[in-house]
Amino acid sequence: MIPKFQGVDVKEFFMGMKERNVAGTTEQLQQAHVIIAGAGGLGSNIAIALTRSGVGHLTIIDFDTIEMSNLNRQQYKVSQIGLPKVTALKQNLLEFNPFIEIDTVQTKITSENIAELFADADIICEAFDNPTAKAMLLEGATKHYPDKPLVMGNGMAGLHLTNEIQTKQPLPNVYICGDGYSKGMEGLMAPRVMVCAGHEANAILRLLTNQPVLSE
Amino acid sequence: MINVNGKPMDQMVGKTLTDLLKAKTSMMQNVVVELNGEIIHRDQLDTKILVENDKVELISFVGGG
């Protein structure tokens, strides 16, 4: 008997979900493993984009639990306040796409555990809030895994111009998305956080489908 | 003369990367230093001496995410 999902053959459901994806990407994306560092405004939005696109294996790392102040931009629900972010995000993601593998690690990323945490990543995605942690991950990831692409976010606060959020490539394997100047202290609003998350997620999809992230 | 983020900078040859960082920022912990295309790790900043024509990129991070 063919297994059913939501009353539909599993294979048919899987194919149905891919119908509007870019043709020829399913296989490459399904085989990829992206590790996302941080499950806040950037991380939760990036994870949703990659999940819906069909990236086959995500690992989400975050130490935090959901607070009221997260709900203005992070993809959590009132009912999830108090839960570890990684637990809630995995629940939400599997409702968007049950055909991917999601691992969660509830821990704080430090220069000591970077080597272990990111060993299995095809792409490392930085989605922290804290600028010192961003710098630490850039140093650590390029030290231990110089050949793995690292996609980062830097500057998406306030209500500044949308078009100031850009993707840049300061090093051959490092992509930094953001305006580079706006600071979280001025307030963080959902749209610009989502724009920056979109930059990061699209950079990741382009890398996974062997396309240059920036025009040559 | 060295070059920092695309701009020439005087009087830095012979000084360390830590000296340069201190001159450029009060938030050293949020900045990653790239010297001639390579990231220099924090524990080496004190001992790396700048030489003529060095190209330095300071990658500064801001909070928010």
Side-chain angles (χ1 to χ4, degrees):
Chain A
M1 202 182 102
I2 299 165
K4 301 254 183 193
F5 180 75
Q6 303 284 316
V8 180
D9 288 355
V10 165
K11 186 148 194 247
E12 204 178 310
F13 202 102
F14 179 82
M15 295 316 288
M17 284 182 58
K18 306 293 173 200
E19 202 177 297
R20 296 300 300 271
N21 264 9
V22 172
T25 57
T26 300
E27 192 87 335
Q28 279 171 312
L29 296 183
Q30 186 71 26
Q31 284 168 8
H33 183 195
V34 177
I35 301 187
I36 303 174
L42 288 175
S44 61
N45 278 296
I46 295 165
I48 288 175
L50 299 182
T51 293
R52 290 195 189 277
S53 303
V55 172
H57 187 183
L58 296 178
T59 298
I60 299 153
I61 310 171
D62 193 289
F63 67 90
D64 218 354
T65 54
I66 298 163
E67 296 172 29
M68 286 182 279
S69 65
N70 301 146
L71 297 186
N72 78 326
R73 68 192 188 285
Q74 306 188 14
Q75 297 292 355
Y76 300 108
K77 306 171 196 175
V78 170
S79 61
Q80 294 176 318
I81 288 175
L83 286 178
K85 289 184 179 177
V86 293
T87 306
L89 187 53
K90 181 174 177 174
Q91 281 177 358
N92 297 347
L93 295 174
L94 287 174
E95 289 190 52
F96 298 137
N97 183 351
F99 296 104
I100 67 169
E101 187 181 340
I102 301 170
D103 292 322
T104 60
V105 186
Q106 195 184 0
T107 195
K108 195 167 182 112
I109 298 169
T110 66
S111 47
E112 280 75 46
N113 63 18
I114 285 176
E116 181 196 345
L117 286 171
F118 296 96
D120 193 37
D122 296 323
I123 295 179
I124 300 172
C125 172
E126 180 275 326
F128 292 140
D129 179 66
N130 180 312
T132 307
K134 289 174 187 283
M136 181 270 299
L137 186 58
L138 173 56
E139 280 199 42
T142 50
K143 176 178 172 188
H144 296 290
Y145 301 112
D147 297 330
K148 292 186 197 284
L150 170 65
V151 178
M152 309 186 72
N154 187 31
M156 71 305 295
L159 290 172
H160 301 282
L161 293 169
T162 310
N163 285 353
E164 286 178 352
I165 294 177
Q166 295 187 340
T167 301
K168 292 183 175 167
Q169 188 178 6
L171 289 157
N173 269 329
V174 178
Y175 304 88
I176 302 184
C177 309
D179 60 35
Y181 68 85
S182 66
K183 295 188 172 76
M185 284 146 55
E186 50 182 303
L188 287 154
M189 304 290 265
R192 279 186 116 239
V193 173
M194 292 171 86
V195 169
C196 189
H199 271 256
E200 289 196 64
N202 197 47
I204 290 166
L205 294 187
R206 287 187 64 89
L207 288 163
L208 292 175
T209 54
N210 303 314
Q211 301 179 73
V213 172
L214 299 179
S215 49
E216 318 267 294
Chain B
M1 192 82 85
I2 64 164
N3 191 291
V4 181
N5 288 3
K7 290 189 184 132
M9 191 168 172
D10 267 339
Q11 298 178 339
M12 273 293 156
V13 171
K15 304 224 168 124
T16 67
L17 281 173
T18 302
D19 295 329
L20 171 67
L21 259 187
K22 282 186 178 156
K24 288 299 242 184
T25 177
S26 57
M27 307 289 277
M28 274 180 66
Q29 70 278 13
N30 298 348
V31 179
V32 175
V33 181
E34 183 193 328
L35 174 64
N36 302 324
E38 260 182 68
I39 293 208
I40 306 298
H41 295 280
R42 221 150 278 266
D43 49 11
Q44 299 165 24
L45 296 176
D46 278 340
T47 51
K48 278 273 180 197
I49 311 284
L50 289 158
V51 301
E52 190 66 26
N53 294 326
D54 268 347
K55 271 203 171 69
V56 182
E57 290 289 328
L58 301 178
I59 304 174
S60 300
F61 288 98
V62 288

Coordinates of all heavy atoms in Angstrom, one line a residue, chain A residues 11-73:
Chain A
K11 N 4.1 10.6 -2.2 CA 4.9 11.1 -3.3 C 4.2 12.2 -4.1 O 4.8 13.2 -4.4 CB 5.2 9.9 -4.3 CG 6.1 10.3 -5.4 CD 7.0 9.2 -5.8 CE 8.1 9.7 -6.7 NZ 8.1 9.4 -8.1
E12 N 2.9 12.0 -4.2 CA 2.1 13.1 -4.9 C 2.1 14.4 -4.1 O 2.2 15.5 -4.7 CB 0.6 12.6 -5.0 CG -0.2 13.2 -6.1 CD -1.6 12.6 -6.2 OE1 -1.6 11.3 -6.2 OE2 -2.5 13.3 -6.2
F13 N 2.0 14.2 -2.8 CA 2.0 15.4 -1.9 C 3.4 16.2 -2.0 O 3.4 17.4 -2.2 CB 1.8 15.0 -0.5 CG 1.3 16.2 0.4 CD1 -0.1 16.2 0.7 CD2 2.1 17.2 0.9 CE1 -0.6 17.3 1.5 CE2 1.6 18.2 1.6 CZ 0.3 18.3 1.9
F14 N 4.5 15.4 -2.0 CA 5.8 15.9 -2.1 C 5.9 16.7 -3.4 O 6.4 17.8 -3.5 CB 6.8 14.8 -2.0 CG 8.3 15.3 -2.1 CD1 8.9 15.8 -1.0 CD2 8.9 15.2 -3.3 CE1 10.3 16.2 -1.1 CE2 10.3 15.6 -3.4 CZ 10.9 16.1 -2.3
M15 N 5.5 16.0 -4.5 CA 5.6 16.6 -5.8 C 4.7 17.9 -6.0 O 5.1 18.9 -6.5 CB 5.3 15.6 -6.9 CG 6.3 14.4 -7.1 SD 8.0 14.9 -7.0 CE 8.2 15.7 -8.6
G16 N 3.6 17.8 -5.4 CA 2.6 18.9 -5.4 C 3.2 20.1 -4.7 O 3.1 21.3 -5.2
M17 N 4.0 19.9 -3.6 CA 4.6 21.0 -2.9 C 5.7 21.7 -3.8 O 6.1 22.8 -3.5 CB 5.2 20.6 -1.6 CG 4.1 20.4 -0.5 SD 4.7 19.9 1.1 CE 5.8 21.3 1.4
K18 N 6.3 21.0 -4.7 CA 7.4 21.5 -5.5 C 6.9 22.2 -6.8 O 7.7 22.7 -7.6 CB 8.3 20.3 -6.0 CG 8.9 19.5 -4.8 CD 9.8 20.3 -3.9 CE 10.2 19.5 -2.7 NZ 10.7 20.3 -1.6
E19 N 5.6 22.1 -7.1 CA 5.1 22.4 -8.4 C 5.5 23.8 -8.8 O 5.8 24.1 -10.0 CB 3.5 22.3 -8.3 CG 2.9 22.2 -9.7 CD 1.4 22.0 -9.5 OE1 1.0 21.0 -8.9 OE2 0.6 22.9 -9.9
R20 N 5.5 24.8 -7.9 CA 5.8 26.2 -8.3 C 7.3 26.5 -8.0 O 7.7 27.7 -8.1 CB 4.9 27.1 -7.6 CG 3.4 27.0 -8.0 CD 3.2 27.2 -9.4 NE 3.6 28.6 -9.9 CZ 2.8 29.6 -9.9 NH1 1.6 29.5 -9.5 NH2 3.3 30.8 -10.2
N21 N 8.1 25.6 -7.5 CA 9.5 25.8 -7.3 C 10.2 26.0 -8.6 O 9.7 25.5 -9.6 CB 10.2 24.7 -6.5 CG 10.3 24.9 -5.0 OD1 9.7 25.9 -4.5 ND2 11.0 24.1 -4.3
V22 N 11.4 26.6 -8.6 CA 12.2 26.6 -9.8 C 12.6 25.2 -10.3 O 13.1 24.4 -9.5 CB 13.5 27.5 -9.6 CG1 14.4 27.4 -10.8 CG2 13.1 28.9 -9.3
A23 N 12.3 24.9 -11.5 CA 12.5 23.5 -12.0 C 14.0 23.2 -11.9 O 14.8 24.0 -12.1 CB 12.1 23.5 -13.5
G24 N 14.2 21.9 -11.6 CA 15.5 21.4 -11.5 C 16.3 21.6 -10.2 O 17.4 21.3 -10.1
T25 N 15.6 22.2 -9.2 CA 16.3 22.5 -8.0 C 16.0 21.5 -6.9 O 16.7 21.5 -5.9 CB 15.9 23.9 -7.4 OG1 14.4 23.9 -7.2 CG2 16.2 25.0 -8.4
T26 N 15.0 20.7 -7.0 CA 14.5 19.8 -5.9 C 15.6 18.9 -5.4 O 15.9 18.9 -4.2 CB 13.3 18.9 -6.4 OG1 12.3 19.8 -6.9 CG2 12.8 18.0 -5.3
E27 N 16.3 18.2 -6.3 CA 17.3 17.3 -5.9 C 18.5 17.9 -5.1 O 18.8 17.5 -4.0 CB 17.9 16.6 -7.1 CG 18.7 15.4 -6.9 CD 17.9 14.1 -6.8 OE1 16.7 14.2 -6.4 OE2 18.4 13.1 -7.0
Q28 N 19.0 19.0 -5.7 CA 20.1 19.7 -5.0 C 19.7 20.2 -3.7 O 20.5 20.1 -2.7 CB 20.6 20.9 -5.9 CG 21.5 20.6 -7.1 CD 21.7 21.8 -8.0 OE1 20.7 22.4 -8.4 NE2 22.9 22.0 -8.3
L29 N 18.6 20.8 -3.6 CA 18.1 21.4 -2.3 C 17.8 20.3 -1.3 O 18.2 20.4 -0.1 CB 16.9 22.3 -2.5 CG 17.2 23.6 -3.4 CD1 15.9 24.4 -3.4 CD2 18.3 24.4 -2.8
Q30 N 17.2 19.2 -1.7 CA 16.8 18.2 -0.8 C 18.1 17.5 -0.2 O 18.0 17.0 0.9 CB 16.0 17.1 -1.6 CG 15.4 16.0 -0.7 CD 14.2 16.5 0.2 OE1 13.6 17.5 -0.1 NE2 14.1 15.8 1.3
Q31 N 19.2 17.5 -0.9 CA 20.4 16.9 -0.4 C 21.2 17.8 0.5 O 22.2 17.4 1.1 CB 21.3 16.4 -1.5 CG 20.7 15.2 -2.2 CD 21.4 14.9 -3.5 OE1 22.4 15.5 -3.9 NE2 20.8 13.9 -4.2
A32 N 20.8 19.0 0.7 CA 21.7 20.0 1.4 C 21.5 20.0 2.9 O 20.4 19.8 3.3 CB 21.5 21.4 0.8
H33 N 22.5 20.4 3.6 CA 22.5 20.6 5.0 C 22.9 22.0 5.3 O 24.1 22.3 5.2 CB 23.3 19.5 5.7 CG 23.2 19.6 7.2 ND1 24.1 19.0 8.1 CD2 22.3 20.2 8.0 CE1 23.8 19.3 9.3 NE2 22.7 20.0 9.3
V34 N 22.0 22.8 5.8 CA 22.3 24.2 6.2 C 22.2 24.3 7.7 O 21.2 23.8 8.3 CB 21.4 25.2 5.6 CG1 21.7 26.6 6.1 CG2 21.5 25.1 4.0
I35 N 23.2 24.8 8.4 CA 23.2 25.0 9.8 C 23.0 26.5 10.1 O 23.8 27.3 9.7 CB 24.4 24.4 10.5 CG1 24.6 22.9 10.2 CG2 24.4 24.7 12.0 CD1 25.7 22.2 10.9
I36 N 21.9 26.8 10.9 CA 21.5 28.2 11.2 C 21.9 28.5 12.6 O 21.4 27.8 13.5 CB 20.0 28.4 10.9 CG1 19.7 28.0 9.5 CG2 19.7 29.9 11.2 CD1 18.2 28.1 9.2
A37 N 22.7 29.5 12.8 CA 23.2 30.0 14.1 C 22.3 31.1 14.6 O 22.5 32.2 14.1 CB 24.7 30.4 14.0
G38 N 21.4 30.8 15.4 CA 20.4 31.8 15.9 C 19.0 31.6 15.4 O 18.9 31.4 14.2
A39 N 18.0 31.7 16.2 CA 16.7 31.5 15.8 C 15.8 32.6 16.3 O 14.7 32.5 16.8 CB 16.1 30.2 16.4
G40 N 16.3 33.9 16.0 CA 15.5 35.1 16.3 C 14.8 35.6 15.1 O 14.3 34.8 14.3
G41 N 14.9 36.9 14.9 CA 14.2 37.5 13.7 C 14.8 37.0 12.4 O 14.1 36.7 11.5
L42 N 16.1 37.0 12.3 CA 16.8 36.5 11.1 C 16.6 35.0 11.0 O 16.1 34.5 10.0 CB 18.3 36.9 11.1 CG 18.7 38.3 10.8 CD1 20.2 38.5 11.0 CD2 18.2 38.8 9.5
G43 N 17.0 34.3 12.0 CA 17.0 32.8 11.9 C 15.7 32.2 11.7 O 15.5 31.3 10.8
S44 N 14.6 32.7 12.3 CA 13.3 32.1 12.1 C 12.8 32.4 10.7 O 12.2 31.5 10.1 CB 12.3 32.6 13.2 OG 12.1 34.0 13.1
N45 N 13.0 33.6 10.2 CA 12.6 33.9 8.8 C 13.4 33.2 7.8 O 12.9 32.7 6.8 CB 12.7 35.4 8.6 CG 11.4 36.1 9.2 OD1 10.3 35.9 8.7 ND2 11.6 37.0 10.2
I46 N 14.7 33.1 8.0 CA 15.6 32.3 7.0 C 15.1 30.8 7.0 O 15.0 30.2 6.0 CB 17.1 32.4 7.4 CG1 17.5 33.9 7.3 CG2 17.9 31.5 6.6 CD1 18.9 34.1 8.0
A47 N 14.9 30.3 8.2 CA 14.5 28.9 8.3 C 13.2 28.6 7.6 O 13.1 27.6 6.9 CB 14.4 28.5 9.8
I48 N 12.3 29.5 7.7 CA 11.0 29.3 7.0 C 11.2 29.3 5.5 O 10.7 28.5 4.8 CB 10.0 30.4 7.4 CG1 9.5 30.1 8.8 CG2 8.8 30.4 6.4 CD1 8.6 31.2 9.4
A49 N 12.0 30.3 5.0 CA 12.3 30.4 3.6 C 13.0 29.1 3.0 O 12.6 28.6 2.0 CB 13.1 31.6 3.2
L50 N 13.9 28.6 3.8 CA 14.7 27.4 3.4 C 13.8 26.2 3.5 O 13.9 25.3 2.6 CB 16.0 27.2 4.2 CG 17.0 28.4 4.1 CD1 18.2 28.0 4.9 CD2 17.4 28.7 2.6
T51 N 13.0 26.1 4.5 CA 12.0 25.0 4.7 C 11.0 24.9 3.5 O 10.8 23.9 2.9 CB 11.3 25.2 6.0 OG1 12.2 25.0 7.1 CG2 10.2 24.1 6.1
R52 N 10.4 26.1 3.2 CA 9.4 26.1 2.1 C 10.1 25.8 0.8 O 9.5 25.2 -0.1 CB 8.8 27.5 2.0 CG 7.9 27.8 3.2 CD 7.0 29.0 2.8 NE 6.2 29.5 4.0 CZ 5.0 28.9 4.4 NH1 4.5 27.9 3.8 NH2 4.4 29.5 5.4
S53 N 11.4 26.2 0.6 CA 12.1 25.9 -0.6 C 12.5 24.5 -0.8 O 12.8 24.0 -1.8 CB 13.3 26.8 -0.7 OG 13.0 28.2 -0.6
G54 N 12.5 23.7 0.4 CA 12.8 22.3 0.3 C 14.3 22.0 0.6 O 14.7 20.9 0.1
V55 N 15.0 22.8 1.3 CA 16.3 22.4 1.8 C 16.1 21.2 2.7 O 15.4 21.3 3.7 CB 17.0 23.6 2.5 CG1 18.4 23.1 3.1 CG2 17.3 24.7 1.5
G56 N 16.8 20.1 2.4 CA 16.4 18.8 3.0 C 16.8 18.6 4.4 O 16.2 17.8 5.1
H57 N 17.8 19.3 4.9 CA 18.3 19.1 6.2 C 18.7 20.5 6.8 O 19.6 21.1 6.3 CB 19.5 18.2 6.2 CG 19.9 17.7 7.6 ND1 21.0 16.9 7.8 CD2 19.5 18.0 8.8 CE1 21.2 16.7 9.1 NE2 20.3 17.4 9.7
L58 N 18.0 20.9 7.9 CA 18.4 22.1 8.6 C 18.8 21.7 10.0 O 18.1 20.9 10.7 CB 17.2 23.0 8.7 CG 16.6 23.6 7.4 CD1 15.4 24.5 7.7 CD2 17.7 24.4 6.7
T59 N 19.8 22.4 10.5 CA 20.1 22.3 12.0 C 20.0 23.7 12.5 O 20.5 24.6 11.9 CB 21.5 21.7 12.2 OG1 21.5 20.4 11.7 CG2 21.8 21.7 13.7
I60 N 19.2 23.9 13.6 CA 19.0 25.2 14.1 C 19.6 25.2 15.5 O 19.3 24.4 16.4 CB 17.5 25.5 14.1 CG1 16.9 25.5 12.7 CG2 17.2 26.9 14.8 CD1 15.5 25.2 12.6
I61 N 20.4 26.2 15.8 CA 21.1 26.3 17.1 C 20.7 27.6 17.7 O 20.8 28.7 17.1 CB 22.6 26.3 16.9 CG1 23.1 25.1 16.0 CG2 23.3 26.2 18.3 CD1 24.5 25.1 15.6
D62 N 20.2 27.6 18.9 CA 19.9 28.8 19.7 C 19.8 28.4 21.2 O 19.3 27.3 21.5 CB 18.5 29.3 19.2 CG 18.3 30.8 19.7 OD1 18.0 30.9 20.9 OD2 18.4 31.7 18.9
F63 N 20.1 29.3 22.1 CA 20.1 29.0 23.5 C 18.8 29.5 24.2 O 18.5 29.1 25.3 CB 21.3 29.6 24.2 CG 21.3 31.1 24.2 CD1 20.7 31.8 25.3 CD2 21.9 31.8 23.2 CE1 20.7 33.2 25.3 CE2 21.9 33.2 23.2 CZ 21.3 33.9 24.2
D64 N 18.1 30.3 23.5 CA 17.1 31.2 24.1 C 15.7 30.6 24.1 O 15.4 29.7 23.4 CB 17.0 32.5 23.3 CG 16.9 33.7 24.1 OD1 16.7 33.6 25.4 OD2 16.9 34.9 23.6
T65 N 14.8 31.2 25.0 CA 13.4 30.9 25.0 C 12.6 32.1 24.5 O 13.1 33.2 24.4 CB 12.9 30.6 26.4 OG1 13.3 31.6 27.3 CG2 13.5 29.3 26.9
I66 N 11.4 31.9 24.0 CA 10.6 32.9 23.4 C 10.0 33.9 24.4 O 9.4 33.5 25.5 CB 9.4 32.3 22.6 CG1 10.0 31.4 21.5 CG2 8.5 33.4 22.0 CD1 9.1 30.4 20.9
E67 N 10.1 35.2 24.2 CA 9.6 36.2 25.0 C 8.6 37.1 24.3 O 8.6 37.1 23.0 CB 10.8 37.2 25.5 CG 11.8 36.5 26.4 CD 13.0 37.4 26.6 OE1 12.8 38.6 26.6 OE2 14.1 36.9 26.8
M68 N 7.8 37.9 25.0 CA 6.8 38.7 24.4 C 7.5 39.7 23.4 O 7.0 39.9 22.3 CB 6.1 39.6 25.4 CG 5.1 38.8 26.2 SD 4.2 39.8 27.4 CE 5.4 39.9 28.7
S69 N 8.7 40.2 23.7 CA 9.3 41.2 22.9 C 9.8 40.6 21.5 O 10.3 41.3 20.7 CB 10.5 41.8 23.6 OG 11.5 40.8 23.9
N70 N 9.8 39.3 21.4 CA 10.2 38.6 20.2 C 9.1 38.7 19.1 O 9.4 38.6 17.9 CB 10.6 37.1 20.4 CG 11.7 36.9 21.4 OD1 11.7 35.9 22.1 ND2 12.6 37.8 21.5
L71 N 7.9 38.8 19.5 CA 6.7 38.6 18.6 C 6.6 39.6 17.6 O 5.8 39.5 16.6 CB 5.4 38.4 19.4 CG 5.4 37.2 20.4 CD1 4.0 37.1 21.0 CD2 5.8 35.9 19.7
N72 N 7.3 40.8 17.7 CA 7.1 41.8 16.7 C 7.8 41.5 15.4 O 7.6 42.1 14.4 CB 7.6 43.2 17.2 CG 9.1 43.3 17.2 OD1 9.8 42.4 17.5 ND2 9.6 44.5 17.0
R73 N 8.7 40.5 15.4 CA 9.5 40.2 14.2 C 9.9 38.8 14.0 O 10.4 38.3 13.0 CB 10.8 41.1 14.1 CG 11.8 40.7 15.2 CD 12.9 41.7 15.4 NE 13.9 41.3 16.3 CZ 13.8 41.2 17.6 NH1 12.7 41.6 18.2 NH2 14.9 40.8 18.3

